[in-house]
Amino acid sequence: MAIKAFRSSILHFKEDAQAEYFDDGILLVDSETGTVQEVVDAKDQSSELAAKLDGVEITAYENKIIMPGFIDTHIHYPQVDVIASYGEQLLDWLNNYTFPTELQFKDPEFARETADFFLNELIKNGTTTALVFGTVFKESVDAFFEASAKLNTRMICGKVMMNRNAPDGLCDDVQSSFDDTQTLIDTWHGTGRQLYAVTPRFAITSTGEQLEKAGELMKNNPGVYMQTHLSENKAEIAFVKELFPERSSYLDVYDHYGLLGPRSVFAHGVHLDETDFKRLSETQSSISFCPTSNLFLGSGLFDLEATKTFNVPVSVATDVGGGTSFSMLQTLNEAYKICQLKDYSLDARQAFYMMTLGNAKTLQLDDKIGNFESGKEADFVVVDLESTPLMQRKQSKCKTLDEVLFSLMMLGDDRAISETYVAAKQVYKK
Ligand code: GUN
Ligand code: ZN
């Protein structure tokens, strides 16, 4: 029987960002196609539902909520070992910890082992899709996609393009970067569930010539993504100004080389002005808000409210290894605190919308993932509301769905993920 049923509380968000919550629901999936059939109310007494469930194996849960798989819009797989590196802000952190670590990915075996560990860490935290940085080494990206293809996760990844201001061993050149990227696009973009992102690291580590080639790759390959970093740290911004004195802002550097657009994802954007926000909005380029990283590296407080004011698409992400947790729940926790410091309250429904359908929309993947609409890919998580004694105690005091979700995002972490399913198949069980 290809149809499988999962009975539990179920939460997802509709197109209009409204929550649809079933206190006692049934998620029906087709395990052959890996897609969602529908979500129904288990209290429905109709003969129609009884007929649908006839002979179907039902897995039932208590004190759990089934949700769409979480989506992380900015993370570095080679930085698993960089996480929790003491004492530096962005530029010194890159030079002292990150670049030396990324040099190790010249070894494909090391890359393979790390990719497996990384993907396992993602699914253990309920994340089923991510927009991922590789390293400068082409083979490190092959290793990542091979590992993801084995799991059948929907992942977007790219080879880092960087040709200056980094150790020699970690720099490519304009032509090899262009050629390697094109080869990777041809091999991986649209192969199974894998997708490609053109990945200039940031304006500091690319010459204008290399950024121009990145723009060319975007033009030549409609449908691929672009990911980079933007206005994260004050010293970084000053350095970009020195390197590109002719450009009016950090964002204008990327704009000049044709790197803005609805498939472009800019990590951080902590220090932007009105002109930048307007340009991001005009081009529907998105910003990826990385709260644990912005706090850990002392980068600054992201202005989530401004993205709403200016209608800039915004998503939420971990940015491991600048970020300190793979857990999107912990990421929402820190996002909430940053917003508090900016006199804005990030409510739980908005937060859970963001890490599911909202993030899918910024990645232009909302036709495939993000909620349980019929026909979408059946990536989902079974979330345990009582994974610690404290959570159990706190949940028993919660009277509304908002309270349940808010407690979950403040207190939950990988322990709250009971099971993770990818295309209707179980890939993780606690
Ligand atoms: N800017 C350029 N590279 C990086 C990186 O690896 N992490 C973060 N947080 N910012 C960057
Ligand atoms: Zn990053």
Side-chain angles (χ1 to χ4, degrees):
M1 187 79 174
I3 305 304
K4 294 210 157 34
F6 299 86
R7 181 171 179 174
S8 169
S9 295
I10 298 175
L11 172 76
H12 71 151
F13 292 84
K14 308 291 272 189
E15 272 306 297
D16 58 2
Q18 293 304 305
E20 182 170 53
Y21 178 71
F22 298 85
D23 186 40
D24 183 6
I26 300 175
L27 171 65
L28 289 155
V29 302
D30 183 330
S31 61
E32 240 154 59
T33 59
T35 56
V36 172
Q37 212 173 41
E38 62 180 320
V39 184
V40 294
D41 195 328
K43 291 193 279 295
D44 180 351
Q45 299 283 336
S46 71
S47 53
E48 242 172 273
L49 179 60
K52 271 182 201 159
L53 292 174
D54 187 28
V56 172
E57 174 196 336
I58 302 179
T59 308
Y61 302 97
E62 296 225 338
N63 300 318
K64 308 279 193 291
I65 302 184
I66 291 181
M67 297 182 193
F70 306 153
I71 300 170
D72 186 342
T73 61
H74 182 74
I75 187 162
H76 299 252
Y77 104 78
Q79 294 180 13
V80 168
D81 300 328
V82 179
I83 203 165
S85 292
Y86 174 76
E88 310 291 6
Q89 294 210 353
L90 179 64
L91 298 179
D92 291 328
W93 174 85
L94 283 171
N95 287 320
N96 297 345
Y97 296 116
T98 308
F99 291 160
T101 302
E102 292 192 12
L103 273 166
Q104 296 177 270
F105 286 77
K106 199 173 169 49
D107 172 6
E109 197 39 56
F110 186 80
R112 265 191 286 279
E113 186 275 327
T114 309
D116 282 335
F117 182 91
F118 172 87
L119 285 164
N120 192 55
E121 203 60 31
L122 283 186
I123 57 175
K124 176 176 189 285
N125 279 279
T127 300
T128 50
T129 287
L131 175 55
V132 181
F133 268 60
T135 68
V136 72
F137 307 110
K138 174 181 169 292
E139 291 73 18
S140 76
V141 177
D142 285 316
F144 177 80
F145 278 131
E146 279 159 19
S148 173
K150 240 189 308 174
L151 259 183
N152 197 26
T153 37
R154 186 170 277 292
M155 291 285 159
I156 315 172
C157 184
K159 180 204 109 73
V160 173
M161 306 173 75
M162 51 194 293
N163 67 345
R164 64 167 164 178
N165 293 318
D168 282 347
L170 207 57
C171 285
D172 54 16
D173 60 60
V174 172
Q175 195 58 44
S176 72
S177 197
F178 181 83
D179 294 343
D180 284 353
T181 299
Q182 188 60 57
T183 303
L184 285 165
I185 292 171
D186 296 340
T187 309
W188 291 110
H189 186 67
T191 299
R193 301 185 78 194
Q194 312 312 311
L195 295 163
Y196 197 83
V198 173
T199 308
R201 180 171 212 121
F202 65 158
I204 288 176
T205 46
S206 287
T207 57
E209 290 78 13
Q210 183 165 70
L211 294 176
E212 196 174 319
K213 286 289 188 192
E216 211 177 307
L217 286 159
M218 290 301 292
K219 255 199 230 99
N220 296 347
N221 298 278
V224 303
Y225 294 86
M226 198 290 299
Q227 59 177 344
T228 190
H229 297 90
L230 169 71
S231 297
E232 176 178 3
N233 163 289
K234 294 258 172 75
E236 170 209 20
I237 295 166
F239 196 6
V240 172
K241 219 181 198 134
E242 259 176 57
L243 294 168
F244 296 93
E246 70 284 9
R247 303 270 61 95
S248 61
S249 73
Y250 192 163
L251 181 68
D252 188 49
V253 174
Y254 297 131
D255 200 0
H256 178 74
Y257 293 107
L259 296 174
L260 273 58
R263 286 178 181 271
S264 298
V265 180
F266 294 93
H268 307 296
V270 174
H271 310 281
L272 298 172
D273 64 16
E274 229 182 276
T275 313
D276 296 327
F277 280 123
K278 285 184 178 156
R279 187 64 188 140
L280 288 164
S281 175
E282 262 169 26
T283 56
Q284 284 297 290
S285 309
S286 71
I287 304 180
S288 185
F289 170 25
C290 306
T292 72
S293 171
N294 294 161
L295 293 173
F296 180 74
L297 293 174
S299 302
L301 302 174
F302 182 73
D303 192 348
L304 185 63
E305 199 176 13
T307 63
K308 315 256 162 227
T309 308
F310 290 98
N311 185 33
V312 174
V314 62
S315 59
V316 62
T318 62
D319 190 31
V320 164
T324 50
S325 173
F326 277 83
S327 168
M328 288 300 290
L329 296 170
Q330 279 302 291
T331 302
L332 294 180
N333 167 324
E334 304 282 292
Y336 177 81
K337 294 171 190 167
I338 287 180
C339 290
Q340 282 290 83
L341 286 164
K342 299 290 269 185
D343 283 325
Y344 177 78
S345 295
L346 172 61
D347 68 85
R349 284 181 201 236
Q350 189 188 339
F352 279 79
Y353 168 75
M354 280 181 86
M355 76 162 164
T356 55
L357 188 62
N359 277 7
K361 264 187 201 286
T362 67
L363 297 178
Q364 314 269 304
L365 285 175
D366 50 309
D367 59 330
K368 297 185 173 64
I369 54 172
N371 68 8
F372 295 136
E373 226 172 75
S374 168
K376 286 201 186 175
E377 297 165 356
D379 297 341
F380 60 95
V381 286
V382 182
V383 179
D384 183 358
L385 292 171
E386 304 185 336
S387 66
T388 68
L390 178 62
M391 280 179 76
Q392 185 176 27
R393 186 178 171 115
K394 177 69 191 179
Q395 287 293 345
S396 74
K397 309 281 193 283
C398 292
K399 292 188 185 68
T400 64
L401 178 62
D402 295 87
E403 288 174 2
V404 166
L405 294 177
F406 188 65
S407 301
L408 177 61
M409 78 185 224
M410 297 314 292
L411 302 177
D413 53 31
D414 59 328
R415 292 169 293 181
I417 307 303
S418 277
E419 296 173 29
T420 303
Y421 286 76
V422 164
K425 265 211 194 84
Q426 190 183 80
V427 292
Y428 170 76
K429 187 171 166 57
K430 198 167 117 179

